[in-house]
């Protein structure tokens, strides 16, 4: 019996989920719990109620987009697990989640923190070592994710069920 | 009894929300000075540029995922089970 070894659907689903969950880590941890920054805090400092509310609006839009990425990832994961040719390797999924999280940190960091200057990781410091650490974490997560996916691909048997 | 309690608590919540001091009505849609300032700040002249800026990373992320999708080569088919040994 021939069978294909196609981990791509799981990788794509996990990457979407990683982007979404990475966005939620940023939004929940940095925007809400630690309150290091908000979406537009470099332009509208959180020093008055209107500014806080305006930032909250744009934070909400940002969260809506990360929710959308997560929902897409969930839908793709559902499709992937129903395919007989997709090996359900935990290492592939975790690697893909880190790949997506890394993509989020790197792309969001470059665009929002450095190009558009919408906000910075620790707003009161402006562009700081924390912004560069954020980018570095993105690179590390991407590389780690790719290594995990490749490792899983070399280990995973092609037949998983049936 | 539980239903009545639920209705009472819901009514209390709604009443409290509407009877609170105006400063708490800083929501996006509230008809207060703060609400008007918030709406003016959101939907002012910079609305579209801000919207584009907030959205900007996400199309790039989608492109990155598309690149991953098309960059990953299809893994070759493997013969896994029921292999017949070649005749000796």
């Amino acid at each position: 019996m021939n069978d294909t070894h196609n981990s791509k659907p799981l990788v794509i689903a996990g990457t979407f989920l990683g982007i979404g969950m990475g966005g939620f880590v940023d939004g929940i941890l940095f925007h809400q719990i630690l309150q290091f920054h908000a979406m537009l805090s470099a332009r509208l400092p959180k020093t008055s109620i209107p500014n806080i509310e305006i930032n909250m609006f744009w934070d909400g839009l940002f969260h809506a987009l990360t929710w959308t990425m997560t929902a897409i990832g969930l839908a793709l994961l559902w499709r992937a697990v129903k395919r007989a040719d997709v090996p359900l390797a935990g290492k592939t999924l975790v690697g893909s989640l880190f790949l997506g999280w890394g993509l989020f940190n790197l792309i969001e960091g470059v665009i929002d923190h450095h190009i558009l200057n919408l906000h910075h990781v620790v707003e009161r410091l402006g562009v700081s070592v924390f912004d560069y650490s954020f980018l570095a974490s993105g690179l590390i997560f991407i590389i780690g994710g790719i290594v995990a996916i490749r490792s899983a691909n070399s280990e995973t048997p092609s037949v998983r069920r049936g | 009894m539980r239903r009545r309690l639920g209705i009472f608590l819901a009514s209390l919540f709604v009443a409290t929300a509407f009877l609170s001091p105006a400063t708490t009505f800083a929501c996006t849609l509230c008809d207060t000075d703060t609400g008007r300032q918030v709406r003016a700040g959101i939907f002012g002249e910079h609305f579209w540029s801000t919207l584009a800026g907030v959205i900007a990373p996400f199309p790039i992320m989608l492109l990155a995922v598309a690149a991953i999708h098309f960059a990953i080569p299809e893994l070759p088919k493997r013969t896994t089970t029921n292999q017949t040994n070649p005749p000796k």
Side-chain angles (χ1 to χ4, degrees):
Chain A
M1 185 179 100
N2 284 334
D3 208 341
T4 53
H5 175 90
N6 188 7
S7 59
K8 190 187 286 188
L10 188 60
V11 171
I12 299 299
T15 306
F16 268 106
L17 283 171
I19 289 172
M21 292 179 72
F24 283 131
V25 169
D26 185 350
I28 293 168
L29 184 65
F30 293 139
H31 293 218
Q32 294 175 325
I33 295 176
L34 299 176
Q35 301 191 21
F36 280 168
H37 63 255
M39 201 63 219
L40 301 182
S41 52
R43 295 182 180 180
L44 290 169
K46 298 198 300 175
T47 51
S48 66
I49 288 181
N51 280 9
I52 291 170
E53 295 286 325
I54 293 166
N55 270 294
M56 196 181 293
F57 173 87
W58 292 109
D59 280 352
L61 186 73
F62 164 79
H63 276 130
L65 290 167
T66 56
W67 184 92
T68 303
M69 298 301 235
T70 309
I72 292 170
L74 199 57
L76 292 175
L77 185 65
W78 179 248
R79 288 180 61 176
V81 298
K82 290 199 291 184
R83 286 178 55 165
D85 61 335
V86 179
L88 298 182
K91 196 184 268 189
T92 304
L93 180 62
V94 172
S96 309
L97 290 172
F98 272 98
L99 174 60
W101 190 3
L103 282 174
F104 175 87
N105 283 8
L106 190 64
I107 295 170
E108 196 271 343
V110 168
I111 293 177
D112 288 348
H113 302 180
H114 296 278
I115 296 176
L116 299 177
N117 279 304
L118 295 181
H119 59 257
H120 306 100
V121 174
V122 181
E123 197 57 72
R124 64 187 178 82
L125 300 178
V127 177
S128 68
V129 67
F130 294 103
D131 293 280
Y132 296 107
S133 302
F134 194 72
L135 297 182
S137 72
L139 277 175
I140 291 167
F141 289 167
I142 289 171
I143 293 167
I146 290 171
V147 168
I149 292 165
R150 289 174 69 94
S151 162
N153 277 345
S154 62
E155 292 171 4
T156 308
S158 55
V159 173
R160 68 180 167 85
R161 56 178 175 254
Chain B
M1 183 66 187
R2 291 180 68 182
R3 189 177 172 197
R4 282 185 183 175
L5 182 64
I7 292 170
F8 171 75
L9 289 175
S11 306
L12 190 65
F13 175 77
V14 171
T16 305
F18 282 94
L19 292 174
S20 298
T23 48
T24 62
F25 285 126
C27 71
T28 314
L29 298 174
C30 291
D31 187 21
T32 61
D33 284 343
T34 309
R36 280 186 282 275
Q37 288 177 54
V38 171
R39 281 195 296 279
I42 294 168
F43 300 108
E45 57 181 317
H46 299 297
F47 174 75
W48 292 108
S49 59
T50 306
L51 180 67
V54 171
I55 290 174
F58 290 90
I60 309 295
M61 290 175 207
L62 288 176
L63 284 176
V65 177
I68 292 167
H69 177 75
F70 291 110
I72 297 176
E74 289 288 344
L75 292 172
K77 286 184 178 181
R78 293 180 186 175
T79 302
T80 56
T81 56
N82 295 339
Q83 289 182 347
T84 53
N85 292 326
K88 294 180 180 175

